[in-house]
Amino acid sequence: MLVYKFGGASIKDAESIHKMTNIVNACNDNLVVVISAMGKTTNLLERIARLWFDENSYKQEMDELKMYHQRIIHELFEEHIPSNLGGLYHELADKLMTKPSMDFQYEYDQIVSFGEKFSTRIIEAYFNLLNTPAEFVDITEVIKTDRNFRNAGVLWDLTQKLSKERFTFSTYNKYITQGFLGGTTNNQITTLGREGSDYSAALIAAACDAEKLVVWKDVPGIMNADPAWFNDPQKIDFISYKEAIELTYYGAKVIHPKTIKPLQEKNIPLYVNSFVEPDTTGTIITSESDKKFSSPVFIRKQNQVLISIRPKTPDFVAETDISHLFQMLVDLNISVQLTQMSAATFTVCVDKNEYTFDQLLKQLHDHYEVRYNEASEIITIRNYDDDSLAKMKNGCEVLIEQRTRKTAQIVRITK
């Protein structure tokens, strides 16, 4: 039994879905196909959720959402458009006609989850049109979670039991299901964290003791840097679970950070392949790789803010101040990338969340003197050397630099 996961880029238009279908049809094994939202649908639904919650107009975004999916539907089905595809738009519209609760995290999950609902419904219908036998599974009935909306924790024992009961391959040898989503025990939709479809696929693979998980991307495999940013990146052919965890922790975008652990515990290999060139070999992630990748790996995270705080009184920064700051960040769901402490100042580099950053600043100003640099990015270099460090600092204003034995991090003003 295999698990294939297709991300937003691999199903972003009709041409990509044709390629995805060919890859699925070429597999003769029992197969679970895990689907993300199409293209940048999640970003659009995030904007809709925020506008609706703040009681602002979201008509333009809704029109854009419908036009995007309708274009794909017409290109795939022509005159054979299934009648049941329109029901999801009405379901979303009905949700947006209600008054929001006071919990944005909860409302976010209920609205943003429509991205995966749209994509799986469309692809299920397209498989039926092509007479490709596949059964749809609502993953919210299988992956069970706590109520930590937007970053739900998985109830593993229950999820494993339900996965084995649902993915039996008794009638079909292929299933289609959603990534990113889960459900509470009282059937409320949750999400597993941004870009969480990789994690969904890993959970299914681990629960069902899959032979392997293949994540299909629009890149040749895991690269030592983002090709859109870095000249002449190298593909990493083999990498260990341990090193993959390190890369994802620091922000490498190819694999979701939580993906590796369920596979590592069951010793299930992870393949990162190109859906553009499916016959080529991508990156293989296993417990121990025969070949060690020792060249520098560059990870760039943009949209960062470097914040320095100090008490308003002449006191030292105390443990209570640090605890207070981190509780603010947790409450606002803001990720921390780097910290540095002196006697008088505590400095932290965080992701800038456009909806919560102003709230964070307001809370900080109530208790501390605050300075910050918004136009910042953090560069992490694994296996760094003098040349790689010099390359990342050349011509830049470096705000902070930290090094360990294998990893260097630089916070710099965005070029």
Side-chain angles (χ1 to χ4, degrees):
M1 174 261 189
L2 309 180
V3 179
Y4 282 2
K5 181 264 177 176
F6 293 91
S10 59
I11 52 170
K12 65 182 179 181
D13 52 31
E15 181 182 356
S16 299
I17 293 171
H18 290 314
K19 291 178 181 178
M20 182 271 288
T21 305
N22 291 335
I23 291 170
V24 169
N25 284 333
C27 179
N28 296 318
D29 295 280
N30 289 340
L31 178 66
V32 178
V33 181
V34 178
I35 304 293
S36 297
M38 293 174 166
K40 300 296 184 182
T41 297
T42 300
N43 293 342
L44 190 54
L45 283 165
E46 284 182 334
R47 295 206 301 273
I48 290 170
R50 175 51 67 178
L51 290 167
W52 168 73
F53 191 83
D54 291 340
E55 299 183 351
N56 294 319
S57 174
Y58 50 83
K59 182 181 184 304
Q60 179 180 337
E61 286 75 12
M62 276 293 288
D63 290 344
E64 183 180 343
L65 181 75
K66 291 186 68 173
M67 287 176 61
Y68 173 66
H69 286 93
Q70 286 299 325
R71 182 169 63 252
I72 293 174
I73 289 169
H74 281 285
E75 290 177 2
L76 288 176
F77 298 98
E78 297 177 355
E79 72 275 12
H80 304 290
I81 298 175
S83 58
N84 64 343
L85 288 176
L88 283 174
Y89 294 118
H90 296 301
E91 186 180 336
L92 176 57
D94 288 345
K95 169 62 180 174
L96 296 172
M97 289 295 291
T98 63
K99 182 178 176 60
S101 70
M102 297 179 68
D103 185 352
F104 177 70
Q105 315 287 32
Y106 166 79
E107 300 293 4
Y108 173 99
D109 281 2
Q110 310 318 300
I111 292 171
V112 172
S113 59
F114 275 90
E116 279 68 21
K117 292 180 183 179
F118 289 139
S119 61
T120 48
R121 186 73 62 85
I122 290 169
I123 290 171
E124 178 196 13
Y126 187 58
F127 277 17
N128 289 336
L129 179 67
L130 300 180
N131 294 316
T132 298
E135 182 176 353
F136 171 75
V137 171
D138 182 348
I139 202 62
T140 66
E141 298 176 357
V142 178
I143 294 180
K144 289 299 177 181
T145 74
D146 59 24
R147 290 174 51 83
N148 186 26
F149 297 103
R150 292 189 72 178
N151 192 23
V154 174
L155 307 178
W156 173 243
D157 290 341
L158 181 55
T159 295
Q160 185 170 229
K161 174 180 178 293
L162 293 172
S163 296
K164 289 181 180 295
E165 291 174 355
R166 192 65 184 84
F167 298 112
T168 61
F169 301 98
S170 58
T171 306
Y172 296 89
N173 76 329
K174 291 182 175 66
Y175 290 93
I176 301 171
T177 193
Q178 306 102 335
F180 183 49
L181 309 185
T184 64
T185 54
N186 62 341
N187 298 324
Q188 291 180 311
I189 294 176
T190 57
T191 63
L192 305 180
R194 201 64 163 82
E195 310 292 344
S197 292
D198 292 344
Y199 184 37
S200 304
L203 290 168
I204 295 168
C208 297
D209 298 309
E211 178 184 337
K212 64 181 178 181
L213 165 61
V214 184
V215 175
W216 297 92
K217 298 282 187 177
D218 58 349
V219 291
I222 296 179
M223 312 296 286
N224 76 323
D226 184 350
W229 161 60
F230 197 87
N231 292 328
D232 193 29
Q234 303 174 52
K235 179 169 71 71
I236 303 173
D237 294 325
F238 300 92
I239 191 171
S240 67
Y241 293 130
K242 181 179 178 181
E243 186 64 18
I245 289 170
E246 292 285 349
L247 296 183
T248 58
Y249 173 81
Y250 288 114
K253 296 180 181 179
V254 176
I255 298 296
H256 186 276
K258 295 180 181 178
T259 303
I260 305 299
K261 187 171 177 56
L263 303 176
Q264 184 179 25
E265 291 181 349
K266 293 289 188 79
N267 201 27
I268 298 170
L270 169 60
Y271 291 68
V272 180
N273 287 355
S274 167
F275 81 90
V276 180
E277 298 178 318
D279 295 329
T280 60
T281 302
T283 300
I284 303 174
I285 305 172
T286 59
S287 56
E288 289 296 333
S289 296
D290 294 330
K291 300 177 182 178
K292 302 294 184 181
F293 190 86
S294 57
S295 298
V297 179
F298 301 86
I299 303 165
R300 182 191 194 191
K301 289 201 74 174
Q302 297 177 285
N303 200 34
Q304 300 293 298
V305 186
L306 188 68
I307 306 172
S308 295
I309 70 164
R310 56 191 304 151
K312 291 183 176 181
T313 61
D315 297 330
F316 293 111
V317 174
E319 287 79 2
T320 53
D321 295 310
I322 298 170
S323 175
H324 186 205
L325 172 63
F326 273 97
Q327 190 59 56
M328 290 182 196
L329 295 167
V330 169
D331 292 342
L332 293 170
N333 200 31
I334 297 175
S335 298
V336 177
Q337 306 303 322
L338 175 147
T339 63
Q340 185 164 295
M341 185 173 176
S342 69
T345 305
F346 184 74
T347 301
V348 59
C349 183
V350 301
D351 291 343
K352 183 182 179 184
N353 185 315
E354 62 180 306
Y355 302 123
T356 57
F357 180 61
D358 289 343
Q359 297 178 52
L360 175 63
L361 284 183
K362 182 179 183 304
Q363 292 182 35
L364 289 173
H365 279 297
D366 288 342
H367 302 277
Y368 307 103
E369 294 179 2
V370 182
R371 298 178 63 187
Y372 60 93
N373 297 87
E374 287 189 81
S376 304
E377 61 185 13
I378 185 166
I379 307 295
T380 301
I381 312 172
R382 289 283 289 174
N383 307 318
Y384 70 92
D385 53 26
D386 290 342
D387 289 342
S388 61
L389 272 170
K391 186 173 185 177
M392 290 298 101
K393 293 193 288 185
N394 184 36
C396 297
E397 181 183 350
V398 176
L399 303 174
I400 287 182
E401 178 179 341
Q402 291 184 353
R403 304 188 201 184
T404 62
R405 290 184 180 89
K406 289 194 67 174
T407 305
Q409 289 190 288
I410 299 165
V411 181
R412 67 185 194 182
I413 298 297
T414 304
K415 285 187 175 181

